[in-house]
Amino acid sequence: MRVPYRDFDDWWTPYTTGVGPAGDWVAGLDPGEREQVRAACAAHLPDGPFEISATAWAVTGRA
């Protein structure tokens, strides 16, 4: 799966809403820590537009 983003803010904004494990973690940071994480992520991603590739594996079973 490839997910397109318009720019870095398009990618970053969902993490600031507290949704999911990553969003919950980011929302729990103090403003200074949150900015450090944002800056570190921004240093590794282009301004935009860009795509991110992801693979999810899931298994269920019953014994």
Side-chain angles (χ1 to χ4, degrees):
M1 168 183 248
R2 297 188 66 79
V3 180
Y5 295 95
R6 290 183 308 273
D7 54 24
F8 176 78
D9 286 331
D10 187 33
W11 178 85
W12 175 252
T13 299
Y15 292 102
T16 66
T17 63
V19 176
D24 186 45
W25 179 76
V26 170
L29 298 173
D30 69 46
E33 291 171 324
R34 192 175 308 121
E35 181 52 36
Q36 286 179 337
V37 171
R38 183 188 184 288
C41 292
H44 288 88
L45 293 170
D47 292 332
F50 60 92
E51 291 184 345
I52 296 200
S53 177
T55 301
W57 294 86
V59 176
T60 61
R62 191 167 27 189

